[in-house]
C-alpha cells in the first residue's frame, strides 16, 4: 500500500482538493518556477484549514497567525504544462512550537507529481513572538504521524557564498501579516539565477526553503549564492537588521 492509498483512509487526508497549474507558474521554457510550488502549497493548506476551522480567519480571532518556518518539496514528475492537480494534506506532528504538515499533489491518473512537508509556528501578532503554550485556543485534528519525506525545520549546511544582487523590499512584497510573504523568497532566489541555472530546473529533484527572520517594508537585503553540480544554495541577508532572512536549496 503506497502513501496515498494508506492516508486516503484517514478522515483529514480523505479531502481531495483540485488546484490548477496556471500560465504564470511556468517560465518561458515550460518549467515550474520555485514560487509556483510555494503558491500551490499555500493554496492547498488554506483551502484545507478552512474546512477544519483552523485557518487564518480562526487564528486571527485569537491574535495568532500561522507562519512558515520551513518547506521541503520533492519533485517526482516534472510539470511542463498547465494542468489540473488533485491534492490532499494532513497534520502530522507537533514538536515544541513546530507544527508539521504533509502535502501530496497528484495528476489525474493518481500518480504523485510532487509532495512535501512544512513546519510552521503560531505567531502572537501583538508582540511578534512564537506562541509556546501547550493548549491552543482552537482545535486541531489528531496528528497522523506518517511523513512524506525526510525534512527538518533547521538549516544545517555550510557553504562559501558570493554576493549576487542587492535590493529592497517593496509594498507589493508584504502580506496580511505585515511581513514579506514566503512565496516572494522563491522569486528573490529565482531572480538571481543565470540562464544556464534556470535551464537546469527541468531536472529539479528537491527544494528546501528556510525562513529565518522576518523582512518588512523598506528593508534592504542582499542575495548570496553558492553553486556546484548537484545543488544551488541561496542566502538572503537582511542588511537593514544585519541578520539572515532565508536560505533556499535547489537539488538536481
Amino acid at each position: 500500500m503506497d502513501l496515498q492509498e494508506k492516508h486516503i483512509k484517514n478522515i483529514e487526508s480523505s479531502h481531495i482538493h483540485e488546484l490548477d497549474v496556471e500560465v504564470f507558474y511556468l517560465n518561458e521554457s515550460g518549467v515550474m518556477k520555485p514560487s509556483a510550488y510555494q503558491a500551490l502549497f499555500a493554496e492547498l493548506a488554506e483551502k484545507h484549514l478552512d474546512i477544519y476551522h483552523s485557518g487564518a480567519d480562526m487564528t486571527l480571532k485569537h491574535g495568532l497567525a500561522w507562519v512558515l518556518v520551513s518547506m521541503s518539496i520533492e519533485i517526482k514528475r516534472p510539470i511542463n504544462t498547465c494542468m489540473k492537480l488533485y491534492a490532499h494534506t494532513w497534520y502530522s506532528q507537533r514538536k515544541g512550537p513546530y507544527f508539521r504538515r504533509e502535502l501530496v499533489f497528484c495528476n489525474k491518473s493518481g500518480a504523485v507529481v510532487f509532495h512535501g512537508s512544512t513546519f510552521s509556528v503560531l505567531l502572537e501578532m501583538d508582540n511578534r513572538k512564537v506562541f509556546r503554550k501547550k493548549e491552543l485556543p482552537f482545535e486541531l485534528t489528531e496528528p497522523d504521524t506518517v511523513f512524506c519525506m525526510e525534512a527538518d525545520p533547521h538549516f544545517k549546511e555550510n557553504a562559501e557564498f558570493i554576493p549576487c544582487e542587492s535590493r529592497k523590499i517593496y509594498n507589493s512584497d508584504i502580506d496580511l501579516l505585515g511581513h514579506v510573504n514566503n512565496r516572494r523568497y522563491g522569486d528573490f532566489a529565482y531572480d538571481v539565477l543565470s540562464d544556464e541555472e534556470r535551464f537546469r530546473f527541468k531536472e529539479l529533484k528537491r527544494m528546501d526553503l528556510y525562513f529565518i527572520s522576518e523582512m518588512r517594508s523598506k528593508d534592504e537585503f542582499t542575495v548570496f549564492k553558492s553553486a556546484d553540480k548537484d545543488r544551488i544554495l541561496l542566502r538572503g541577508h537582511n542588511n537593514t537588521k544585519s541578520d539572515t532572512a532565508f536560505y533556499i536549496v535547489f537539488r538536481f
Side-chain angles (χ1 to χ4, degrees):
M1 183 180 294
D2 65 19
L3 185 68
Q4 185 184 1
E5 291 172 333
K6 184 173 183 179
H7 288 281
I8 205 70
K9 297 179 179 179
N10 174 275
I11 293 175
E12 186 181 1
S13 61
S14 65
H15 295 281
I16 305 299
H17 304 271
E18 293 188 15
L19 302 99
D20 294 303
V21 175
E22 302 177 5
V23 172
F24 183 70
Y25 291 170
L26 304 166
N27 69 13
E28 64 275 25
S29 299
V31 177
M32 281 268 283
K33 302 174 188 176
S35 61
Y37 292 102
Q38 294 175 260
L40 289 165
F41 265 49
E43 184 180 358
L44 173 57
E46 289 163 5
K47 283 186 173 183
H48 188 79
L49 290 175
D50 282 345
I51 294 175
Y52 286 93
H53 307 291
S54 54
D57 287 348
M58 176 59 70
T59 61
L60 288 172
K61 288 179 181 177
H62 299 282
L64 302 171
W66 290 113
V67 174
L68 273 175
V69 173
S70 70
M71 176 186 296
S72 296
I73 300 167
E74 285 183 336
I75 294 90
K76 299 297 185 181
R77 292 171 173 80
I79 293 174
N80 56 15
T81 187
C82 296
M83 61 185 292
K84 185 79 70 177
L85 294 172
Y86 304 86
H88 63 281
T89 179
W90 65 95
Y91 164 44
S92 55
Q93 184 186 61
R94 181 181 182 182
K95 193 171 183 180
Y98 300 105
F99 296 82
R100 178 168 176 161
R101 175 164 290 278
E102 314 304 312
L103 305 97
V104 181
F105 297 77
C106 303
N107 59 24
K108 64 181 180 181
S109 300
V112 175
V113 179
F114 62 93
H115 64 203
S117 302
T118 63
F119 288 88
S120 301
V121 297
L122 283 166
L123 185 71
E124 297 178 1
M125 293 300 294
D126 60 346
N127 57 25
R128 314 300 284 191
K129 292 183 178 180
V130 175
F131 180 84
R132 297 182 180 274
K133 295 179 182 178
K134 184 176 181 180
E135 297 298 325
L136 299 178
F138 55 89
E139 291 187 8
L140 289 180
T141 58
E142 287 297 315
D144 182 3
T145 55
V146 173
F147 307 140
C148 285
M149 59 185 293
E150 291 186 11
D152 192 293
H154 305 292
F155 179 80
K156 297 178 179 178
E157 300 190 46
N158 293 313
E160 293 186 6
F161 293 93
I162 58 171
C164 294
E165 182 180 68
S166 295
R167 57 194 291 182
K168 74 174 184 178
I169 300 300
Y170 293 99
N171 295 331
S172 59
D173 298 319
I174 304 300
D175 64 15
L176 176 65
L177 305 184
H179 62 196
V180 175
N181 187 269
N182 79 83
R183 301 177 212 182
R184 294 295 293 126
Y185 292 107
D187 289 330
F188 296 156
Y190 185 71
D191 285 345
V192 304
L193 301 178
S194 66
D195 291 343
E196 291 77 15
E197 288 168 336
R198 289 190 299 108
F199 183 78
R200 294 180 67 189
F201 270 66
K202 64 180 183 179
E203 301 172 352
L204 184 66
K205 295 178 180 177
R206 175 169 175 148
M207 178 169 63
D208 294 277
L209 304 98
Y210 303 89
F211 310 106
I212 310 301
S213 63
E214 291 183 300
M215 286 202 290
R216 311 291 290 272
S217 181
K218 309 300 188 295
D219 282 353
E220 296 184 355
F221 69 100
T222 300
V223 179
F224 294 79
K225 180 170 64 176
S226 175
D228 57 39
K229 63 183 182 67
D230 297 318
R231 71 169 189 177
I232 301 173
L233 172 59
L234 290 304
R235 179 172 72 89
H237 181 79
N238 189 330
N239 302 324
T240 302
K241 298 176 182 175
S242 191
D243 61 12
T244 297
F246 65 88
Y247 289 102
I248 298 179
V249 189
F250 301 119
R251 301 186 189 278
F252 303 92

